[in-house]
Amino acid sequence: MKQYILINRIKVQGANAIAGFTWGFPAITNFLGFSHNLSRKLASTENFNDMSLKGCAVIAHKHHVHTYGSSYSVEFTQSRNPPYLHSHDKVATPPVIEEGKMNMTVSLLIECDGYIGNRQEGFVEWLTTNIFLQRLAGGTILDVGCVEIHGVNDDTEVRRLKRKLLPGFILRDRAEHLEKHYLSLQEKNPEVELLDAWLDFSALKQKARPKSDQISKHFISLLKKETDKDQYSQLIGHWEKHLKAPYQQGSIPDELINYFQQLENHKVNETLLNQWLSYCSPDENTDADWEYVQKPEAGYLVPIMTGFKAISEVHSNKKIENTRDNKTPICFVESVHSVGEWQSVHRIRSAEELSHCLWHYHYENNWYLCKQDKLALAQDTPEPEMVTENLNDDF
């Protein structure tokens, strides 16, 4: 039986909303760092030094990013910190700094290893005290709904745990979607880069489609005819299927091309045929409708930051200036990005699936990553590559 610590409804103010290339929610490293720090404190206590914390699942309930502007031009809220500077008789005005901050309400589900026994009440009290002494994603913890210990052994206990987390969305790792889409793009264009595949998940893309309202009206009118209904139904099916895919010149079904080639060229069909010619061979003067391009996979997919990639050797702390402390060795890193999915908590159906929602640290060949165990993938599936950001940070 696995046991979990549920830290329910954590209200955080001023959390960091920027994570590498992305913004809108903290990086998963913030939440694993929070649970890792709790585990280090546990190891230094006398009463609970036999306990340890492992993975961490993140469930989002509410979030509010400090931004202003329209949906097409979003800017972060600006502030002066501190509001004024006083030096002797002179008052200096501090600069205006744009900050990517947010308020959020999240729940954390942390796997706990060790025998609690009759120490549960004291353990929960210790956790509650130390949770408020820490920051979460750089933000201040204002309130915690409750801290509970749950033993999960069967699906009944999973359902009981889910009811406490609803409504909420749990963050799932979907790096396999990025790998699959990247391989499919390479088949069409061997020179495509992994960043192009990642942007298909992260960017809201629009593509122009030549005007086709007259063509659609013509096919609708065909349904009113009593003759050749089967033939017209097939044509309409080809047209509807064609409209669902992004427009590409030369991808029009041959059945539609043959139909319009056989259509009589007289005054009644003049507008229709002109639009059809423009649709098949558009130019810079062709009227167009702009359509959103769907993401490569279904689901509430989002770009996420999942760790770091070392770009230098590990240096002694004395060789690097302006470090956080004077003991820890330092190496320079780049941010690693992947794809995640926000999935409603009610879709978790078993204790095994719940355990695969937990994020864990993973280190291999200078990659410092946060990953989830894969439940649905085959064991021989290769690990996908990661997108790195050209920014140097202290690790």
Side-chain angles (χ1 to χ4, degrees):
M1 181 181 70
K2 289 189 175 183
Q3 54 188 3
Y4 296 96
I5 299 171
L6 172 61
I7 311 176
N8 202 5
R9 301 305 197 278
I10 310 173
K11 293 184 178 180
V12 185
Q13 182 185 59
N16 185 19
I18 300 176
F21 288 145
T22 67
W23 69 274
F25 200 79
I28 192 65
T29 52
N30 290 280
F31 302 99
L32 272 182
F34 179 86
S35 61
H36 180 65
N37 193 38
L38 274 180
S39 185
R40 293 180 64 181
K41 289 181 178 179
L42 272 175
S44 62
T45 61
E46 295 183 1
N47 298 330
F48 308 108
N49 54 11
D50 58 330
M51 309 291 296
S52 63
L53 307 182
K54 293 183 177 180
C56 176
V58 181
I59 301 95
H61 304 286
K62 295 180 180 179
H63 76 284
H64 175 251
V65 185
H66 299 171
T67 59
Y68 64 94
S70 65
S71 58
Y72 297 99
S73 178
V74 177
E75 297 184 18
F76 290 108
T77 303
Q78 300 176 349
S79 63
R80 297 183 186 273
N81 291 310
Y84 67 89
L85 297 175
H86 188 274
S87 177
H88 301 290
D89 296 332
K90 297 181 179 179
V91 177
T93 303
V96 175
I97 300 175
E98 187 178 58
E99 297 180 329
K101 299 295 183 179
M102 66 179 296
N103 298 340
M104 63 181 183
T105 301
V106 297
S107 295
L108 300 183
L109 193 64
I110 305 173
E111 184 178 354
C112 180
D113 189 16
Y115 179 70
I116 299 177
N118 59 359
R119 300 177 297 171
Q120 180 167 331
E121 184 176 347
F123 186 45
V124 169
E125 183 179 352
W126 182 91
L127 285 171
T128 304
T129 301
N130 284 271
I131 286 169
F132 281 99
L133 295 178
Q134 296 187 176
R135 283 180 172 267
L136 180 56
T140 303
I141 297 177
L142 301 179
D143 186 37
V144 176
C146 64
V147 179
E148 300 175 344
I149 310 297
H150 289 268
V152 176
N153 190 33
D154 54 28
D155 297 347
T156 302
E157 293 166 346
V158 172
R159 289 193 295 269
R160 186 181 299 113
L161 183 60
K162 287 193 300 183
R163 283 196 293 269
K164 293 180 176 292
L165 295 173
L166 288 171
F169 291 84
I170 193 166
L171 184 61
R172 306 293 299 271
D173 186 10
R174 291 293 183 257
E176 67 274 11
H177 290 344
L178 177 60
E179 178 194 24
K180 178 182 175 181
H181 182 54
Y182 176 56
L183 294 176
S184 65
L185 291 179
Q186 276 194 321
E187 293 177 357
K188 302 175 183 177
N189 180 13
E191 297 182 357
V192 72
E193 296 182 356
L194 186 58
L195 180 62
D196 298 321
W198 183 76
L199 288 174
D200 287 341
F201 289 95
S202 60
L204 292 177
K205 295 186 176 182
Q206 287 183 316
K207 192 168 185 178
R209 182 185 294 273
K211 284 281 186 180
S212 59
D213 55 331
Q214 297 296 327
I215 301 172
S216 298
K217 289 180 181 179
H218 174 72
F219 282 123
I220 293 174
S221 66
L222 293 180
L223 291 176
K224 300 179 181 180
K225 296 185 177 181
E226 297 181 358
T227 58
D228 298 332
K229 279 191 173 183
D230 294 338
Q231 178 186 358
Y232 294 150
S233 297
Q234 293 178 2
L235 283 173
I236 294 171
H238 289 303
W239 176 246
E240 291 178 346
K241 184 178 180 180
H242 171 70
L243 291 179
K244 291 180 181 179
Y247 177 81
Q248 288 184 351
Q249 192 171 350
S251 64
I252 302 173
D254 294 335
E255 292 83 357
L256 298 174
I257 296 175
N258 295 334
Y259 171 78
F260 280 98
Q261 286 178 347
Q262 298 172 4
L263 200 62
E264 295 183 8
N265 188 6
H266 52 73
K267 189 174 182 179
V268 177
N269 296 329
E270 182 178 359
T271 304
L272 173 64
L273 291 175
N274 288 338
Q275 188 175 84
W276 174 253
L277 292 175
S278 298
Y279 187 85
C280 296
S281 302
D283 55 29
E284 61 273 10
N285 296 321
T286 302
D287 293 334
D289 295 319
W290 288 91
E291 300 175 336
Y292 280 102
V293 179
Q294 293 183 352
K295 293 186 178 181
E297 298 286 343
Y300 190 178
L301 300 174
V302 293
I304 58 174
M305 176 182 160
T306 57
F308 303 93
K309 170 67 168 65
I311 59 173
S312 72
E313 61 182 10
V314 179
H315 300 281
S316 172
N317 187 279
K318 297 180 181 179
K319 295 182 179 180
I320 308 297
E321 296 182 355
N322 301 322
T323 57
R324 296 179 180 177
D325 57 50
N326 57 0
K327 297 180 180 179
T328 308
I330 295 295
C331 74
F332 292 94
V333 299
E334 294 177 344
S335 302
V336 176
H337 296 77
S338 185
V339 177
E341 179 185 3
W342 288 111
Q343 192 176 77
S344 179
V345 174
H346 81 276
R347 296 182 62 183
I348 300 173
R349 308 197 180 278
S350 64
E352 183 182 10
E353 187 175 357
L354 178 64
S355 67
H356 285 79
C357 293
L358 271 66
W359 295 83
H360 300 270
Y361 284 124
H362 178 79
Y363 170 75
E364 183 178 359
N365 297 330
N366 294 328
W367 291 86
Y368 304 86
L369 302 177
C370 303
K371 301 171 63 176
Q372 290 178 344
D373 296 330
K374 296 302 175 187
L375 180 64
L377 292 181
Q379 295 296 325
D380 58 350
T381 302
E383 293 294 338
E385 299 182 45
M386 298 292 178
V387 181
T388 60
E389 177 188 1
N390 295 323
L391 294 176
N392 293 343
D393 300 307
D394 289 345
F395 184 76

